[in-house]
Amino acid sequence: MSLHEQKTVAIVGGSGYAGGEFLRLALGHPHLQVTQVTSERSAGTPVSLVHPNLRGRTNLKFRKAAELDEADILVLALPHGHAAKRLAEFEGKARVIVDLSADFRLKDPAVYQATYGEPHPTPERLDEWVYGNPELRREALRGATRIACAGCFATSVILALYPLLKLGVLLPRDIIATGLVGSSAAGASATDGSHHPERAGSLRVYKPVGHRHTAEAQQELPGHFPLHLTAISTPRVRGILTTAHAWIPDGYSDRDVWSAYREVYGQEPFIRIVKVARGIHRYPDPMLLDGTNYCDLGFEMDMDTGRVVLMSAIDNLVKGTAGHAIQSLNVALGWPETTGLEFAGLHPA
Amino acid sequence: MSLHEQKTVAIVGGSGYAGGEFLRLALGHPHLQVTQVTSERSAGTPVSLVHPNLRGRTNLKFRKAAELDEADILVLALPHGHAAKRLAEFEGKARVIVDLSADFRLKDPAVYQATYGEPHPTPERLDEWVYGNPELRREALRGATRIACAGCFATSVILALYPLLKLGVLLPRDIIATGLVGSSAAGASATDGSHHPERAGSLRVYKPVGHRHTAEAQQELPGHFPLHLTAISTPRVRGILTTAHAWIPDGYSDRDVWSAYREVYGQEPFIRIVKVARGIHRYPDPMLLDGTNYCDLGFEMDMDTGRVVLMSAIDNLVKGTAGHAIQSLNVALGWPETTGLEFAGLHPA
Amino acid sequence: MSLHEQKTVAIVGGSGYAGGEFLRLALGHPHLQVTQVTSERSAGTPVSLVHPNLRGRTNLKFRKAAELDEADILVLALPHGHAAKRLAEFEGKARVIVDLSADFRLKDPAVYQATYGEPHPTPERLDEWVYGNPELRREALRGATRIACAGCFATSVILALYPLLKLGVLLPRDIIATGLVGSSAAGASATDGSHHPERAGSLRVYKPVGHRHTAEAQQELPGHFPLHLTAISTPRVRGILTTAHAWIPDGYSDRDVWSAYREVYGQEPFIRIVKVARGIHRYPDPMLLDGTNYCDLGFEMDMDTGRVVLMSAIDNLVKGTAGHAIQSLNVALGWPETTGLEFAGLHPA
Amino acid sequence: MSLHEQKTVAIVGGSGYAGGEFLRLALGHPHLQVTQVTSERSAGTPVSLVHPNLRGRTNLKFRKAAELDEADILVLALPHGHAAKRLAEFEGKARVIVDLSADFRLKDPAVYQATYGEPHPTPERLDEWVYGNPELRREALRGATRIACAGCFATSVILALYPLLKLGVLLPRDIIATGLVGSSAAGASATDGSHHPERAGSLRVYKPVGHRHTAEAQQELPGHFPLHLTAISTPRVRGILTTAHAWIPDGYSDRDVWSAYREVYGQEPFIRIVKVARGIHRYPDPMLLDGTNYCDLGFEMDMDTGRVVLMSAIDNLVKGTAGHAIQSLNVALGWPETTGLEFAGLHPA
């Protein structure tokens, strides 16, 4: 790799929040050169009209997907189901494809069907895709040409639980995880529920049971245990705070959780353990993570009952989507893993 | 009037925020009995599905306007232009009509046309309607059967300026008023601009010049002076905070503003002068007015330049719309003016 | 009781949010006449300086507790521990005492000591106090002269679980409840953590384990089961949304939860079951409850796993504190239970 | 200058928001190496305890100012008055000093005294300091060793007005500017007014007249005209939106404003003219600028009255303080002006 290597990138479906965030990060990435962004709805208009933070940063205009030229990397930011159905169309355009949707995350076609309610269009291709979570699948991502970006809520759950399950610090009992989610997670289209007067002050349980990311988390996490997810909308725009309630074996303590996290994540550039004895910022808080690729993890234990409360905070559009995808690409293409993901986050914010 | 007198009310266009707020207030009003609420879009469904604060408070269902029966009072909460165009249809249904739209506020058809861009459908009827501002037009409202509810931004401007212009405490120079407005003022329909992620953190100048309420304020305010209005969206849902910059004659001071307000508003049940020397709540703040019919007024003077900054805070849906309408109805029908408008507001809020 | 009966009320510690909210509600209550409000810090100043929503509603000034005269009802709104330690001082002042603190909620002195870390100052008096939850303890409240107002988070948990535990619709397994709490719950004093720039965008886990309301909820709830509480601060000012995860026996379904709630709460004036199949307001949401005394309850079931997610929303200062206290007083003194608690809540809000 | 040149930086008063923001930006600046940060209150503790966004970014601990060692650059982030009074102490420590306070902005000691209510401690030294606004004073900043960082509200006003006043596009009449300001502008210390429940929903006029930045803006702006400033707190944490009402001469139009801005700011890296005919982001909005060094400018004209509404948005802590200081340092030390200030901002945000 040369210091000045650049790969061309085309973003398909670039008018949504995931595509827009990938574009923002890619514009600041020294090895990526975004040459095309598509949007059926906004074709012909400058991307900065839709993503006004990019005023003065790019002169790109949206084009239609039908006008797509070849590129080194194709990033698919389409609604659920589109990437899988139009895979042949896209495979001719680039050697490396990153899909931000849920289409290629699940490896078992039966689980896909149970989760999404219809058969997978190309079940025979599922094995070609690597799940885009470098913390768990760094080796598989090296040199990968098909990356299935991880889901945002799933990522917050997986990163909190993985070391503890892997190292046996949790009992195989029910784990209950609640995600407090910002409004950007529902996408860029206005709906009755996203209307500001109905949403600004709301704490809205939108998925008490049956969240689709359950399957994704269970696929990636070691061991067999019932996982229960609940998702609640908050007045924030970005961010997920997940609290997961799990159970430690007799005789285990704080120290075992600490050392499991240290052992597994000690070298991870984007994971921080936040558990501070004083001050006001004692645990992970998505407030501090807007725009960053961090996943902050924390925990607290109830020694009387064996319950451990795990906490996990991310920016759903960065570590939960586009940043995790960039990080995966960095691994796949052999660039330093933090390239383009250096933003520290704001305080106050 | 008997203590137990009740008038039946029909609300036309009851699925929007203005109609919903009138409904909420009317349900708590001892002399009003809401018997019908129309909504073309939601006909057949319970009103509490659209106005969930009214769960357990009413079993009313929406009906279509075509199914409207007679009532004592008809409240029109329709988009701009509908009330005037369909006036004949509505006049057969009730003796007293309250229109919450802008259709009958302006008395001069030429001003109406200049403001709304088309000729008034029934210019010959404009004089029948009384502008629904009891502070200025209490006598005209007594016994009135056609009430044109005042506009929300106009009300905040008019109530701040009226006593000072009337009593000559202001110079006839340019007055510049800025309204900081909550998102409910744009209505109950979701739009790209009302999408929570685009709106929640926004300070959006949406009407820097040419605000339609200029004509309404100038009609109601005494004297001739240039009035300039600017409107800016804030992250609040309800409320308007208006700051108006005006100019006092040489030799005038704080005391003259105080005494003008006292002279004109001394007996007003819904106007409070807020100008406190200590503590954190020194001036009017819409935060304290959600759900109330108050208009809080304050001011501060720059003796070096003769500039006076007038401040005016209201809940746009109550004092700015439905509450002002109820207050006008109370005057028109001879009930105590505060009936049904007793809510004090919350703190903290 | 005469229609015009009035009892005098003295509020001790009236500059905080709980005392202020009691004052607001009492000023609108036809049978209560607030004659005294104390505040050591603000003695001599008008109460409306501290509670600016009450401008124009009362001319009361704060006095010191040492200047307290007799009244029919004494409402104690003091920090934890004060009411119990100064009980003798207060008992001479009024026949009926309502304590808004935690001092007299727990009946078992050992549980009190384990929860609050010190022995109870007057353990022999605990039995005289009735827990202020009319839904569970209506009969005991009739004629009561010592009312220990229930805790806010505890109330949201208790009301969601009580009918299901009473009627055996839940298994005696771990119940995990998460409270999403507004900033007013931490009181009226500014702290580093309440500083707006640090708090406005925050989702802050402030009590992952060991919440003191656990003991209160377990005292009031039937049966033996492990109860785990977690509390998280949200950007809201008022309100608690509690989601509780519990487990139903084999063969039970939605219908059993519905009928348990109906059987126990069918006649309750302040409990609404919110579980709607369409629209955007499908479950309880504290957004709709600011200023109201409602507790909205909802639920959803995961038939695959037997998990039921119970949802409970209240205004922490009304149903969670002052409103529940007024409702308890209404029962104790024989007035209609909803007196003074009629506010429906706002939409939008 | 070598590509790898690095200057050491010491930040005095680094626990506040201005100092913390300078630290964040400096940590990402290739030519700055922060070696010391002082805080009397937090001496001995890691800076990331106070600025939790910097966890994992720096191991620096706060020291006391008394322990300050020499550095190439000293950044003073102290409360008003400290820098001037302790100037001798600081001048021994570094060749280049940047002061983020108001101490050295005003050149006329009489104006300083009139504005700040006391005589300047070192009036003879005022001329040594260059006002830190590269858009107006780029040449003076080259090689400067004393930089007085511009005030945040002043910057938003100055940048909006400067080209128009310079090129005669505005009449010398009263200009009225209103700043809508986030809560971070009041600093990092909790106060009664910053308590979240009192502030979260507030629109609080905190400086209707007499704002201290008036003198600063008038010093920097060409021509003689009365300037009136009003400042209002909004629920945002960061950001200022300024709307200024000014007056154009007869015969002038939109085009003249456009060309004045283009002529003066055509090459400015951090100024964008935002005036878009469609979409929802038509004018400057601080929502889009958190963390960025942009000043977005827009305008709209009322041809009937000659009023032009100028709009200006910045992040008060970046373009309004620390970013503007970094930009000034870049000019002073001969580095590319955008170094370390590349963050594009988020959307949605």
Side-chain angles (χ1 to χ4, degrees):
Chain A
M1 177 193 87
S2 141
L3 257 174
H4 303 294
E5 181 188 32
Q6 280 215 322
K7 298 285 190 188
T8 58
V9 175
I11 301 173
V12 181
S15 62
Y17 289 153
E21 192 70 356
F22 194 97
L23 174 58
R24 175 182 76 83
L25 291 169
L27 289 173
H29 192 294
H31 301 310
L32 298 178
Q33 188 191 2
V34 181
T35 52
Q36 307 168 74
V37 186
T38 82
S39 164
E40 304 312 299
R41 183 185 174 193
S42 299
T45 67
V47 299
S48 65
L49 206 69
V50 172
H51 304 299
N53 56 329
L54 302 182
R55 285 168 181 150
R57 296 300 180 114
T58 178
N59 293 319
L60 280 167
K61 292 188 177 184
F62 289 113
R63 60 177 69 183
K64 287 186 180 293
E67 300 159 8
L68 206 59
D69 290 329
E70 292 190 9
D72 295 323
I73 302 166
L74 201 61
V75 177
L76 305 178
L78 296 166
H80 169 68
H82 286 232
K85 280 173 194 142
R86 296 161 62 187
L87 184 57
E89 170 190 347
F90 296 129
E91 287 194 311
K93 299 297 183 190
R95 196 180 70 86
V96 176
I97 303 182
V98 178
D99 181 36
L100 303 184
S101 84
D103 286 12
F104 299 104
R105 293 176 195 159
L106 298 175
K107 296 306 155 206
D108 182 336
V111 173
Y112 180 93
Q113 182 160 358
T115 302
Y116 292 99
E118 48 181 1
H120 195 280
T122 55
E124 72 287 359
R125 306 294 301 280
L126 286 171
D127 283 341
E128 297 171 12
W129 293 76
V130 182
Y131 188 73
N133 182 322
E135 288 81 6
L136 274 73
R137 304 195 165 256
R138 188 167 283 114
E139 290 316 308
L141 283 166
R142 294 196 204 285
T145 58
R146 296 289 179 276
I147 300 172
C149 181
C152 55
F153 188 14
T155 292
S156 77
V157 170
I158 290 168
L159 291 177
L161 291 172
Y162 174 69
L164 309 184
L165 290 165
K166 185 183 175 194
L167 299 181
V169 183
L170 297 183
L171 293 171
R173 280 178 59 185
D174 298 274
I175 294 179
I176 290 175
T178 299
L180 304 181
V181 182
S183 61
S184 64
S189 298
T191 63
D192 284 355
S194 79
H195 187 50
H196 183 271
E198 306 292 348
R199 183 71 172 72
S202 181
L203 291 174
R204 188 178 293 160
V205 184
Y206 73 89
K207 203 70 190 169
V209 302
H211 198 289
R212 287 172 166 184
H213 286 191
T214 314
E216 196 177 326
Q218 281 187 310
Q219 169 183 287
E220 297 298 312
L221 289 170
H224 293 281
F225 61 94
L227 177 65
H228 311 273
L229 303 187
T230 291
I232 304 177
S233 292
T234 73
R236 287 187 55 80
V237 170
R238 288 181 177 231
I240 302 178
L241 174 68
T242 292
T243 46
H245 303 266
W247 311 92
I248 49 166
D250 278 351
Y252 279 63
S253 77
D254 258 42
R255 220 171 297 175
D256 301 286
V257 177
W258 269 115
S259 51
Y261 277 143
R262 279 205 190 109
E263 180 176 334
V264 176
Y265 291 151
Q267 304 306 314
E268 286 299 335
F270 292 114
I271 292 189
R272 300 185 294 196
I273 308 304
V274 177
K275 179 166 163 51
V276 187
R278 56 195 170 136
I280 59 176
H281 301 287
R282 302 190 176 195
Y283 299 120
D285 187 336
M287 172 178 74
L288 297 166
L289 301 183
D290 280 5
T292 80
N293 198 50
Y294 286 116
C295 175
D296 281 355
L297 299 176
F299 63 94
E300 207 59 66
M301 214 163 274
D302 183 349
M303 291 310 295
D304 292 342
T305 66
R307 178 177 62 132
V308 58
V309 182
L310 306 169
M311 310 165 210
S312 169
I314 58 172
D315 178 331
N316 59 304
L317 294 176
V318 188
K319 188 63 173 176
T321 309
H324 222 185
I326 296 267
Q327 185 185 353
S328 297
L329 261 182
N330 286 342
V331 173
L333 295 170
W335 300 320
E337 199 164 326
T338 60
T339 310
L341 301 169
E342 295 88 353
F343 184 60
L346 300 178
H347 172 256
Chain B
M1 179 193 85
S2 140
L3 258 174
H4 303 294
E5 180 187 34
Q6 280 216 321
K7 298 283 189 189
T8 57
V9 176
I11 301 173
V12 182
S15 62
Y17 290 152
E21 192 70 354
F22 193 97
L23 174 58
R24 174 182 76 85
L25 292 168
L27 289 173
H29 192 295
H31 301 310
L32 298 178
Q33 186 191 4
V34 183
T35 52
Q36 307 169 73
V37 186
T38 82
S39 164
E40 304 312 298
R41 181 185 175 194
S42 299
T45 67
V47 300
S48 65
L49 205 68
V50 171
H51 303 300
N53 55 329
L54 303 181
R55 285 169 180 149
R57 295 300 180 115
T58 176
N59 293 318
L60 280 166
K61 292 188 177 184
F62 290 112
R63 59 177 71 182
K64 288 185 180 293
E67 302 160 7
L68 207 59
D69 290 328
E70 291 190 12
D72 295 322
I73 302 166
L74 200 62
V75 177
L76 305 177
L78 295 166
H80 168 69
H82 286 233
K85 280 172 195 144
R86 297 161 59 185
L87 184 56
E89 169 190 347
F90 297 128
E91 287 193 311
K93 300 295 184 190
R95 198 180 67 88
V96 176
I97 303 184
V98 178
D99 180 36
L100 303 184
S101 85
D103 285 13
F104 299 104
R105 294 176 193 159
L106 298 174
K107 295 305 157 208
D108 182 337
V111 173
Y112 180 93
Q113 182 160 357
T115 302
Y116 293 98
E118 50 180 0
H120 196 281
T122 55
E124 73 285 359
R125 308 292 302 281
L126 286 170
D127 282 342
E128 297 172 12
W129 292 76
V130 182
Y131 188 74
N133 181 322
E135 287 81 6
L136 274 73
R137 305 196 163 257
R138 187 167 283 113
E139 290 316 308
L141 282 166
R142 295 196 205 284
T145 58
R146 296 289 180 276
I147 299 173
C149 179
C152 54
F153 187 16
T155 292
S156 75
V157 170
I158 290 167
L159 291 176
L161 291 171
Y162 175 70
L164 309 185
L165 290 166
K166 185 182 177 197
L167 299 180
V169 183
L170 296 183
L171 293 172
R173 280 178 60 185
D174 298 272
I175 295 178
I176 290 174
T178 300
L180 304 181
V181 183
S183 61
S184 64
S189 297
T191 64
D192 284 354
S194 79
H195 186 48
H196 182 271
E198 307 291 347
R199 184 70 172 73
S202 183
L203 292 174
R204 188 179 294 161
V205 183
Y206 73 88
K207 203 68 189 168
V209 302
H211 198 289
R212 288 171 165 183
H213 287 189
T214 314
E216 194 175 329
Q218 281 187 311
Q219 168 183 287
E220 296 298 310
L221 289 170
H224 294 280
F225 61 93
L227 178 65
H228 311 273
L229 303 186
T230 293
I232 304 177
S233 292
T234 74
R236 286 187 55 82
V237 169
R238 289 180 177 232
I240 302 179
L241 174 69
T242 292
T243 47
H245 303 266
W247 311 93
I248 50 166
D250 277 351
Y252 278 64
S253 77
D254 257 42
R255 220 170 298 175
D256 302 286
V257 178
W258 271 115
S259 53
Y261 278 143
R262 279 205 191 109
E263 181 175 334
V264 177
Y265 292 150
Q267 305 305 315
E268 287 299 335
F270 292 113
I271 292 189
R272 301 185 293 195
I273 308 302
V274 177
K275 182 168 161 49
V276 186
R278 55 195 170 135
I280 58 175
H281 302 288
R282 302 188 176 197
Y283 299 120
D285 188 336
M287 171 178 75
L288 297 167
L289 301 182
D290 281 4
T292 80
N293 197 49
Y294 286 116
C295 176
D296 281 355
L297 299 176
F299 63 96
E300 206 59 63
M301 214 165 274
D302 182 350
M303 292 309 294
D304 292 341
T305 66
R307 177 178 62 131
V308 58
V309 182
L310 306 168
M311 310 164 212
S312 170
I314 59 172
D315 179 331
N316 59 302
L317 295 177
V318 187
K319 188 62 172 176
T321 309
H324 222 185
I326 296 266
Q327 184 186 355
S328 297
L329 261 182
N330 286 341
V331 174
L333 296 170
W335 300 319
E337 200 165 325
T338 59
T339 310
L341 301 169
E342 295 89 353
F343 183 61
L346 299 178
H347 173 256
Chain C
M1 176 194 87
S2 143
L3 256 174
H4 302 295
E5 180 188 33
Q6 280 215 322
K7 299 285 190 189
T8 57
V9 175
I11 301 173
V12 181
S15 63
Y17 291 152
E21 193 69 354
F22 194 97
L23 174 58
R24 176 183 75 84
L25 292 168
L27 289 173
H29 191 295
H31 301 310
L32 298 177
Q33 188 191 2
V34 182
T35 52
Q36 307 168 74
V37 186
T38 81
S39 164
E40 305 311 299
R41 181 184 175 195
S42 299
T45 67
V47 299
S48 66
L49 206 70
V50 172
H51 303 299
N53 56 329
L54 302 181
R55 285 169 180 149
R57 296 301 180 113
T58 177
N59 292 320
L60 280 167
K61 292 187 177 184
F62 290 113
R63 61 177 68 182
K64 288 185 180 293
E67 301 159 8
L68 208 58
D69 289 329
E70 292 189 10
D72 295 322
I73 301 166
L74 200 62
V75 177
L76 305 178
L78 295 166
H80 169 68
H82 287 231
K85 282 172 194 143
R86 298 161 60 188
L87 184 56
E89 169 190 347
F90 297 128
E91 287 194 312
K93 299 297 182 188
R95 198 181 66 88
V96 175
I97 303 183
V98 178
D99 180 36
L100 303 184
S101 84
D103 286 12
F104 300 104
R105 294 176 194 158
L106 298 175
K107 295 306 156 207
D108 182 336
V111 172
Y112 180 92
Q113 181 161 357
T115 301
Y116 293 99
E118 47 182 0
H120 196 281
T122 55
E124 74 285 1
R125 307 293 303 279
L126 286 170
D127 282 343
E128 297 172 12
W129 293 76
V130 182
Y131 188 73
N133 181 321
E135 288 81 4
L136 274 73
R137 304 195 164 258
R138 187 168 283 113
E139 290 317 308
L141 283 166
R142 295 195 203 285
T145 59
R146 295 290 179 276
I147 300 173
C149 180
C152 55
F153 187 14
T155 293
S156 77
V157 170
I158 291 168
L159 291 176
L161 290 172
Y162 174 69
L164 309 184
L165 289 165
K166 185 183 177 194
L167 298 181
V169 183
L170 297 184
L171 292 172
R173 280 179 58 187
D174 297 275
I175 295 180
I176 290 175
T178 300
L180 304 181
V181 182
S183 60
S184 63
S189 297
T191 63
D192 285 354
S194 79
H195 187 48
H196 182 271
E198 306 292 347
R199 185 69 172 72
S202 182
L203 291 173
R204 188 178 293 161
V205 184
Y206 72 90
K207 202 69 188 168
V209 303
H211 198 289
R212 288 171 165 183
H213 287 190
T214 313
E216 194 177 329
Q218 281 186 312
Q219 168 182 287
E220 296 298 310
L221 289 169
H224 293 281
F225 61 95
L227 177 65
H228 310 273
L229 302 187
T230 292
I232 305 177
S233 291
T234 74
R236 288 187 55 81
V237 170
R238 287 181 178 233
I240 302 178
L241 174 68
T242 292
T243 47
H245 303 266
W247 311 92
I248 49 165
D250 278 351
Y252 278 62
S253 78
D254 258 41
R255 221 171 297 174
D256 301 285
V257 177
W258 270 116
S259 50
Y261 278 142
R262 278 206 191 107
E263 181 175 334
V264 176
Y265 291 150
Q267 304 305 314
E268 286 299 334
F270 292 115
I271 292 188
R272 302 184 292 197
I273 308 304
V274 177
K275 181 168 162 49
V276 187
R278 56 193 170 138
I280 59 176
H281 302 289
R282 302 190 175 195
Y283 300 120
D285 188 337
M287 171 177 76
L288 297 166
L289 301 182
D290 280 5
T292 79
N293 199 48
Y294 286 117
C295 176
D296 281 354
L297 299 176
F299 63 95
E300 207 59 65
M301 214 165 272
D302 182 349
M303 292 310 294
D304 292 342
T305 64
R307 176 177 63 132
V308 59
V309 182
L310 305 169
M311 309 164 212
S312 170
I314 59 172
D315 179 331
N316 58 304
L317 294 176
V318 187
K319 188 62 172 177
T321 308
H324 222 184
I326 296 267
Q327 184 185 353
S328 297
L329 262 182
N330 286 341
V331 174
L333 295 169
W335 300 319
E337 198 164 326
T338 60
T339 310
L341 300 169
E342 296 88 353
F343 184 60
L346 299 178
H347 174 254
Chain D
M1 177 193 87
S2 140
L3 258 174
H4 302 294
E5 181 187 33
Q6 280 214 323
K7 299 284 190 189
T8 57
V9 176
I11 301 173
V12 182
S15 62
Y17 290 152
E21 192 70 354
F22 194 96
L23 174 58
R24 175 183 75 84
L25 291 168
L27 289 174
H29 192 294
H31 301 311
L32 297 178
Q33 187 192 1
V34 183
T35 52
Q36 306 168 75
V37 187
T38 81
S39 164
E40 304 312 298
R41 182 185 175 195
S42 299
T45 67
V47 300
S48 65
L49 206 68
V50 172
H51 303 299
N53 56 328
L54 303 181
R55 283 169 182 151
R57 295 301 180 115
T58 177
N59 292 318
L60 281 167
K61 292 187 176 185
F62 290 112
R63 59 176 72 182
K64 286 186 181 293
E67 300 159 8
L68 207 59
D69 291 328
E70 292 191 9
D72 296 322
I73 302 165
L74 201 60
V75 177
L76 305 178
L78 295 166
H80 168 69
H82 286 233
K85 281 171 194 145
R86 297 161 61 186
L87 184 56
E89 169 190 347
F90 296 128
E91 287 193 311
K93 299 296 184 191
R95 199 181 66 88
V96 176
I97 304 184
V98 179
D99 180 35
L100 303 184
S101 85
D103 286 11
F104 299 104
R105 294 177 195 158
L106 298 175
K107 296 306 156 207
D108 183 337
V111 174
Y112 180 93
Q113 183 161 357
T115 302
Y116 292 99
E118 48 181 2
H120 196 279
T122 56
E124 71 286 1
R125 306 293 302 281
L126 286 171
D127 282 342
E128 298 171 12
W129 293 76
V130 182
Y131 188 74
N133 181 322
E135 287 81 6
L136 274 73
R137 305 197 164 255
R138 188 167 284 114
E139 290 316 309
L141 283 166
R142 294 196 205 285
T145 58
R146 294 289 179 276
I147 300 172
C149 181
C152 56
F153 187 15
T155 293
S156 77
V157 170
I158 289 168
L159 291 176
L161 291 171
Y162 175 69
L164 310 184
L165 290 165
K166 185 182 177 194
L167 299 181
V169 183
L170 296 184
L171 293 171
R173 281 178 58 186
D174 298 274
I175 295 178
I176 290 174
T178 300
L180 304 181
V181 182
S183 60
S184 63
S189 298
T191 64
D192 284 355
S194 80
H195 187 48
H196 182 271
E198 306 292 348
R199 184 69 173 73
S202 182
L203 291 173
R204 187 179 293 162
V205 184
Y206 72 90
K207 203 70 190 167
V209 303
H211 198 288
R212 290 173 164 182
H213 287 191
T214 313
E216 193 177 328
Q218 280 187 311
Q219 168 182 286
E220 297 298 310
L221 290 170
H224 294 280
F225 61 94
L227 178 65
H228 311 274
L229 302 187
T230 293
I232 305 177
S233 292
T234 72
R236 287 187 56 80
V237 169
R238 288 182 176 231
I240 302 178
L241 175 69
T242 291
T243 47
H245 303 266
W247 311 92
I248 50 166
D250 278 352
Y252 278 63
S253 76
D254 256 43
R255 221 170 298 176
D256 300 288
V257 178
W258 269 115
S259 51
Y261 278 143
R262 278 205 191 109
E263 182 176 331
V264 176
Y265 292 149
Q267 305 305 315
E268 287 298 336
F270 292 114
I271 293 189
R272 301 185 292 196
I273 309 305
V274 177
K275 181 168 161 50
V276 186
R278 55 193 170 135
I280 58 176
H281 302 288
R282 303 189 176 195
Y283 300 120
D285 188 336
M287 171 177 75
L288 297 166
L289 301 182
D290 280 4
T292 81
N293 198 49
Y294 286 116
C295 175
D296 282 354
L297 299 176
F299 63 96
E300 207 60 65
M301 213 164 274
D302 182 349
M303 292 309 295
D304 291 344
T305 65
R307 177 178 61 131
V308 58
V309 182
L310 305 169
M311 310 163 210
S312 170
I314 59 171
D315 178 332
N316 58 304
L317 294 177
V318 188
K319 188 64 172 176
T321 309
H324 222 184
I326 296 267
Q327 185 186 353
S328 297
L329 260 183
N330 286 341
V331 174
L333 295 170
W335 300 319
E337 199 164 326
T338 59
T339 309
L341 301 169
E342 296 87 353
F343 184 59
L346 299 179
H347 173 255

